[in-house]
PDB file of all heavy atoms in Angstrom:
ATOM      1  N   LEU O  30      76.677 158.498   2.573  1.00  0.00           N
ATOM      2  CA  LEU O  30      77.865 157.795   3.050  1.00  0.00           C
ATOM      3  C   LEU O  30      78.957 157.978   2.002  1.00  0.00           C
ATOM      4  O   LEU O  30      78.712 157.801   0.815  1.00  0.00           O
ATOM      5  CB  LEU O  30      77.568 156.303   3.235  1.00  0.00           C
ATOM      6  CG  LEU O  30      76.350 155.956   4.105  1.00  0.00           C
ATOM      7  CD1 LEU O  30      76.013 154.490   3.967  1.00  0.00           C
ATOM      8  CD2 LEU O  30      76.640 156.304   5.539  1.00  0.00           C
ATOM      9  N   THR O  31      80.172 158.328   2.438  1.00  0.00           N
ATOM     10  CA  THR O  31      81.263 158.587   1.507  1.00  0.00           C
ATOM     11  C   THR O  31      82.416 157.627   1.754  1.00  0.00           C
ATOM     12  O   THR O  31      82.841 157.451   2.894  1.00  0.00           O
ATOM     13  CB  THR O  31      81.758 160.041   1.644  1.00  0.00           C
ATOM     14  OG1 THR O  31      80.643 160.914   1.435  1.00  0.00           O
ATOM     15  CG2 THR O  31      82.831 160.353   0.630  1.00  0.00           C
ATOM     16  N   LEU O  32      82.905 157.006   0.674  1.00  0.00           N
ATOM     17  CA  LEU O  32      84.085 156.151   0.744  1.00  0.00           C
ATOM     18  C   LEU O  32      85.135 156.717  -0.205  1.00  0.00           C
ATOM     19  O   LEU O  32      84.798 157.227  -1.269  1.00  0.00           O
ATOM     20  CB  LEU O  32      83.744 154.718   0.320  1.00  0.00           C
ATOM     21  CG  LEU O  32      82.953 153.917   1.344  1.00  0.00           C
ATOM     22  CD1 LEU O  32      81.494 153.901   0.975  1.00  0.00           C
ATOM     23  CD2 LEU O  32      83.475 152.527   1.427  1.00  0.00           C
ATOM     24  N   THR O  33      86.406 156.600   0.178  1.00  0.00           N
ATOM     25  CA  THR O  33      87.489 157.124  -0.669  1.00  0.00           C
ATOM     26  C   THR O  33      87.844 156.114  -1.754  1.00  0.00           C
ATOM     27  O   THR O  33      87.503 154.938  -1.657  1.00  0.00           O
ATOM     28  CB  THR O  33      88.741 157.418   0.170  1.00  0.00           C
ATOM     29  OG1 THR O  33      89.229 156.182   0.700  1.00  0.00           O
ATOM     30  CG2 THR O  33      88.449 158.399   1.293  1.00  0.00           C
ATOM     31  N   GLY O  34      88.573 156.576  -2.758  1.00  0.00           N
ATOM     32  CA  GLY O  34      89.028 155.691  -3.828  1.00  0.00           C
ATOM     33  C   GLY O  34      89.943 154.601  -3.302  1.00  0.00           C
ATOM     34  O   GLY O  34      89.941 153.481  -3.815  1.00  0.00           O
ATOM     35  N   ASP O  35      90.742 154.892  -2.255  1.00  0.00           N
ATOM     36  CA  ASP O  35      91.619 153.880  -1.651  1.00  0.00           C
ATOM     37  C   ASP O  35      90.809 152.756  -1.024  1.00  0.00           C
ATOM     38  O   ASP O  35      91.204 151.598  -1.056  1.00  0.00           O
ATOM     39  CB  ASP O  35      92.523 154.511  -0.577  1.00  0.00           C
ATOM     40  CG  ASP O  35      93.533 155.466  -1.179  1.00  0.00           C
ATOM     41  OD1 ASP O  35      93.786 155.377  -2.398  1.00  0.00           O
ATOM     42  OD2 ASP O  35      94.072 156.298  -0.418  1.00  0.00           O
ATOM     43  N   MET O  36      89.670 153.096  -0.410  1.00  0.00           N
ATOM     44  CA  MET O  36      88.819 152.082   0.222  1.00  0.00           C
ATOM     45  C   MET O  36      88.227 151.139  -0.822  1.00  0.00           C
ATOM     46  O   MET O  36      88.052 149.958  -0.564  1.00  0.00           O
ATOM     47  CB  MET O  36      87.680 152.743   1.004  1.00  0.00           C
ATOM     48  CG  MET O  36      88.083 153.482   2.230  1.00  0.00           C
ATOM     49  SD  MET O  36      86.624 154.313   2.889  1.00  0.00           S
ATOM     50  CE  MET O  36      87.200 154.800   4.493  1.00  0.00           C
ATOM     51  N   LEU O  37      87.921 151.667  -2.000  1.00  0.00           N
ATOM     52  CA  LEU O  37      87.261 150.868  -3.036  1.00  0.00           C
ATOM     53  C   LEU O  37      88.227 150.133  -3.947  1.00  0.00           C
ATOM     54  O   LEU O  37      87.913 149.054  -4.431  1.00  0.00           O
ATOM     55  CB  LEU O  37      86.345 151.760  -3.879  1.00  0.00           C
ATOM     56  CG  LEU O  37      85.185 152.398  -3.139  1.00  0.00           C
ATOM     57  CD1 LEU O  37      84.405 153.294  -4.073  1.00  0.00           C
ATOM     58  CD2 LEU O  37      84.285 151.346  -2.546  1.00  0.00           C
ATOM     59  N   GLY O  38      89.405 150.713  -4.209  1.00  0.00           N
ATOM     60  CA  GLY O  38      90.366 150.074  -5.103  1.00  0.00           C
ATOM     61  C   GLY O  38      89.790 149.955  -6.507  1.00  0.00           C
ATOM     62  O   GLY O  38      89.113 150.854  -7.007  1.00  0.00           O
ATOM     63  N   ASP O  39      90.039 148.827  -7.168  1.00  0.00           N
ATOM     64  CA  ASP O  39      89.561 148.608  -8.537  1.00  0.00           C
ATOM     65  C   ASP O  39      88.050 148.432  -8.616  1.00  0.00           C
ATOM     66  O   ASP O  39      87.472 148.525  -9.698  1.00  0.00           O
ATOM     67  CB  ASP O  39      90.241 147.383  -9.156  1.00  0.00           C
ATOM     68  CG  ASP O  39      91.697 147.666  -9.504  1.00  0.00           C
ATOM     69  OD1 ASP O  39      92.073 148.851  -9.589  1.00  0.00           O
ATOM     70  OD2 ASP O  39      92.460 146.695  -9.675  1.00  0.00           O
ATOM     71  N   GLU O  40      87.413 148.171  -7.484  1.00  0.00           N
ATOM     72  CA  GLU O  40      85.958 147.990  -7.482  1.00  0.00           C
ATOM     73  C   GLU O  40      85.226 149.262  -7.900  1.00  0.00           C
ATOM     74  O   GLU O  40      84.088 149.214  -8.310  1.00  0.00           O
ATOM     75  CB  GLU O  40      85.477 147.544  -6.095  1.00  0.00           C
ATOM     76  CG  GLU O  40      85.912 146.152  -5.733  1.00  0.00           C
ATOM     77  CD  GLU O  40      85.451 145.731  -4.346  1.00  0.00           C
ATOM     78  OE1 GLU O  40      85.226 146.612  -3.485  1.00  0.00           O
ATOM     79  OE2 GLU O  40      85.318 144.524  -4.132  1.00  0.00           O
ATOM     80  N   ARG O  41      85.894 150.422  -7.819  1.00  0.00           N
ATOM     81  CA  ARG O  41      85.243 151.686  -8.208  1.00  0.00           C
ATOM     82  C   ARG O  41      84.870 151.676  -9.697  1.00  0.00           C
ATOM     83  O   ARG O  41      83.980 152.389 -10.116  1.00  0.00           O
ATOM     84  CB  ARG O  41      86.120 152.871  -7.860  1.00  0.00           C
ATOM     85  CG  ARG O  41      87.360 153.005  -8.687  1.00  0.00           C
ATOM     86  CD  ARG O  41      88.236 154.175  -8.243  1.00  0.00           C
ATOM     87  NE  ARG O  41      89.362 154.345  -9.115  1.00  0.00           N
ATOM     88  CZ  ARG O  41      90.456 153.594  -9.109  1.00  0.00           C
ATOM     89  NH1 ARG O  41      90.563 152.607  -8.240  1.00  0.00           N
ATOM     90  NH2 ARG O  41      91.439 153.810  -9.954  1.00  0.00           N
ATOM     91  N   LEU O  42      85.544 150.814 -10.489  1.00  0.00           N
ATOM     92  CA  LEU O  42      85.236 150.727 -11.918  1.00  0.00           C
ATOM     93  C   LEU O  42      83.920 149.999 -12.195  1.00  0.00           C
ATOM     94  O   LEU O  42      83.477 149.920 -13.331  1.00  0.00           O
ATOM     95  CB  LEU O  42      86.386 150.039 -12.660  1.00  0.00           C
ATOM     96  CG  LEU O  42      87.711 150.799 -12.655  1.00  0.00           C
ATOM     97  CD1 LEU O  42      88.817 149.959 -13.263  1.00  0.00           C
ATOM     98  CD2 LEU O  42      87.584 152.135 -13.380  1.00  0.00           C
ATOM     99  N   LEU O  43      83.300 149.454 -11.156  1.00  0.00           N
ATOM    100  CA  LEU O  43      82.012 148.770 -11.307  1.00  0.00           C
ATOM    101  C   LEU O  43      80.837 149.688 -10.986  1.00  0.00           C
ATOM    102  O   LEU O  43      79.691 149.309 -11.146  1.00  0.00           O
ATOM    103  CB  LEU O  43      81.954 147.547 -10.375  1.00  0.00           C
ATOM    104  CG  LEU O  43      82.927 146.417 -10.678  1.00  0.00           C
ATOM    105  CD1 LEU O  43      82.907 145.391  -9.560  1.00  0.00           C
ATOM    106  CD2 LEU O  43      82.585 145.760 -11.999  1.00  0.00           C
ATOM    107  N   LEU O  44      81.121 150.898 -10.502  1.00  0.00           N
ATOM    108  CA  LEU O  44      80.062 151.795 -10.038  1.00  0.00           C
ATOM    109  C   LEU O  44      79.398 152.547 -11.186  1.00  0.00           C
ATOM    110  O   LEU O  44      80.061 153.225 -11.962  1.00  0.00           O
ATOM    111  CB  LEU O  44      80.629 152.796  -9.032  1.00  0.00           C
ATOM    112  CG  LEU O  44      81.080 152.208  -7.708  1.00  0.00           C
ATOM    113  CD1 LEU O  44      81.798 153.251  -6.872  1.00  0.00           C
ATOM    114  CD2 LEU O  44      79.899 151.642  -6.941  1.00  0.00           C
ATOM    115  N   VAL O  45      78.079 152.414 -11.269  1.00  0.00           N
ATOM    116  CA  VAL O  45      77.266 153.182 -12.208  1.00  0.00           C
ATOM    117  C   VAL O  45      76.134 153.832 -11.419  1.00  0.00           C
ATOM    118  O   VAL O  45      75.792 153.369 -10.333  1.00  0.00           O
ATOM    119  CB  VAL O  45      76.694 152.310 -13.354  1.00  0.00           C
ATOM    120  CG1 VAL O  45      77.771 151.886 -14.314  1.00  0.00           C
ATOM    121  CG2 VAL O  45      75.951 151.119 -12.819  1.00  0.00           C
ATOM    122  N   ASP O  46      75.552 154.893 -11.972  1.00  0.00           N
ATOM    123  CA  ASP O  46      74.483 155.613 -11.279  1.00  0.00           C
ATOM    124  C   ASP O  46      73.359 154.679 -10.843  1.00  0.00           C
ATOM    125  O   ASP O  46      72.949 153.779 -11.575  1.00  0.00           O
ATOM    126  CB  ASP O  46      73.895 156.697 -12.185  1.00  0.00           C
ATOM    127  CG  ASP O  46      74.884 157.822 -12.443  1.00  0.00           C
ATOM    128  OD1 ASP O  46      75.895 157.899 -11.713  1.00  0.00           O
ATOM    129  OD2 ASP O  46      74.645 158.609 -13.364  1.00  0.00           O
ATOM    130  N   ASN O  47      72.871 154.909  -9.634  1.00  0.00           N
ATOM    131  CA  ASN O  47      71.740 154.192  -9.035  1.00  0.00           C
ATOM    132  C   ASN O  47      71.986 152.697  -8.805  1.00  0.00           C
ATOM    133  O   ASN O  47      71.033 151.944  -8.645  1.00  0.00           O
ATOM    134  CB  ASN O  47      70.467 154.398  -9.851  1.00  0.00           C
ATOM    135  CG  ASN O  47      70.075 155.850  -9.918  1.00  0.00           C
ATOM    136  OD1 ASN O  47      70.180 156.571  -8.933  1.00  0.00           O
ATOM    137  ND2 ASN O  47      69.656 156.299 -11.085  1.00  0.00           N
ATOM    138  N   LEU O  48      73.247 152.268  -8.775  1.00  0.00           N
ATOM    139  CA  LEU O  48      73.553 150.873  -8.482  1.00  0.00           C
ATOM    140  C   LEU O  48      73.284 150.612  -7.001  1.00  0.00           C
ATOM    141  O   LEU O  48      73.735 151.363  -6.141  1.00  0.00           O
ATOM    142  CB  LEU O  48      75.024 150.569  -8.795  1.00  0.00           C
ATOM    143  CG  LEU O  48      75.489 149.154  -8.468  1.00  0.00           C
ATOM    144  CD1 LEU O  48      74.818 148.149  -9.397  1.00  0.00           C
ATOM    145  CD2 LEU O  48      76.991 149.043  -8.579  1.00  0.00           C
ATOM    146  N   GLU O  49      72.527 149.549  -6.714  1.00  0.00           N
ATOM    147  CA  GLU O  49      72.223 149.201  -5.319  1.00  0.00           C
ATOM    148  C   GLU O  49      73.288 148.255  -4.788  1.00  0.00           C
ATOM    149  O   GLU O  49      73.568 147.221  -5.397  1.00  0.00           O
ATOM    150  CB  GLU O  49      70.835 148.588  -5.214  1.00  0.00           C
ATOM    151  CG  GLU O  49      69.748 149.607  -5.518  1.00  0.00           C
ATOM    152  CD  GLU O  49      68.350 149.096  -5.251  1.00  0.00           C
ATOM    153  OE1 GLU O  49      68.189 148.049  -4.589  1.00  0.00           O
ATOM    154  OE2 GLU O  49      67.414 149.762  -5.713  1.00  0.00           O
ATOM    155  N   VAL O  50      73.896 148.635  -3.671  1.00  0.00           N
ATOM    156  CA  VAL O  50      74.970 147.866  -3.033  1.00  0.00           C
ATOM    157  C   VAL O  50      74.706 147.770  -1.536  1.00  0.00           C
ATOM    158  O   VAL O  50      73.751 148.363  -1.024  1.00  0.00           O
ATOM    159  CB  VAL O  50      76.357 148.530  -3.272  1.00  0.00           C
ATOM    160  CG1 VAL O  50      76.721 148.540  -4.739  1.00  0.00           C
ATOM    161  CG2 VAL O  50      76.395 149.939  -2.696  1.00  0.00           C
ATOM    162  N   GLN O  51      75.563 147.047  -0.841  1.00  0.00           N
ATOM    163  CA  GLN O  51      75.544 146.995   0.624  1.00  0.00           C
ATOM    164  C   GLN O  51      76.792 147.723   1.108  1.00  0.00           C
ATOM    165  O   GLN O  51      77.898 147.352   0.724  1.00  0.00           O
ATOM    166  CB  GLN O  51      75.589 145.538   1.114  1.00  0.00           C
ATOM    167  CG  GLN O  51      74.422 144.683   0.692  1.00  0.00           C
ATOM    168  CD  GLN O  51      73.207 144.929   1.569  1.00  0.00           C
ATOM    169  OE1 GLN O  51      73.304 145.148   2.751  1.00  0.00           O
ATOM    170  NE2 GLN O  51      72.037 144.897   0.944  1.00  0.00           N
ATOM    171  N   VAL O  52      76.632 148.762   1.913  1.00  0.00           N
ATOM    172  CA  VAL O  52      77.781 149.465   2.489  1.00  0.00           C
ATOM    173  C   VAL O  52      78.069 148.843   3.841  1.00  0.00           C
ATOM    174  O   VAL O  52      77.169 148.681   4.670  1.00  0.00           O
ATOM    175  CB  VAL O  52      77.507 150.982   2.631  1.00  0.00           C
ATOM    176  CG1 VAL O  52      78.641 151.663   3.373  1.00  0.00           C
ATOM    177  CG2 VAL O  52      77.320 151.611   1.267  1.00  0.00           C
ATOM    178  N   GLN O  53      79.329 148.484   4.038  1.00  0.00           N
ATOM    179  CA  GLN O  53      79.751 147.866   5.288  1.00  0.00           C
ATOM    180  C   GLN O  53      80.263 148.953   6.224  1.00  0.00           C
ATOM    181  O   GLN O  53      81.116 149.754   5.845  1.00  0.00           O
ATOM    182  CB  GLN O  53      80.872 146.869   4.992  1.00  0.00           C
ATOM    183  CG  GLN O  53      80.780 145.618   5.759  1.00  0.00           C
ATOM    184  CD  GLN O  53      81.744 144.589   5.191  1.00  0.00           C
ATOM    185  OE1 GLN O  53      82.715 144.891   4.536  1.00  0.00           O
ATOM    186  NE2 GLN O  53      81.460 143.352   5.484  1.00  0.00           N
ATOM    187  N   LYS O  54      79.709 148.992   7.429  1.00  0.00           N
ATOM    188  CA  LYS O  54      80.139 149.978   8.424  1.00  0.00           C
ATOM    189  C   LYS O  54      80.831 149.256   9.571  1.00  0.00           C
ATOM    190  O   LYS O  54      80.374 148.203  10.012  1.00  0.00           O
ATOM    191  CB  LYS O  54      78.938 150.735   8.983  1.00  0.00           C
ATOM    192  CG  LYS O  54      78.277 151.697   8.040  1.00  0.00           C
ATOM    193  CD  LYS O  54      77.125 152.366   8.768  1.00  0.00           C
ATOM    194  CE  LYS O  54      76.580 153.541   8.031  1.00  0.00           C
ATOM    195  NZ  LYS O  54      75.523 154.211   8.813  1.00  0.00           N
TER     196      LYS O  54
END
């Protein structure tokens, strides 16, 4: 699943390898 930087905003600064999240579709 791919999200753009615009979709994530500043939250992209919280992303580290193998971080488990919930993707909203």
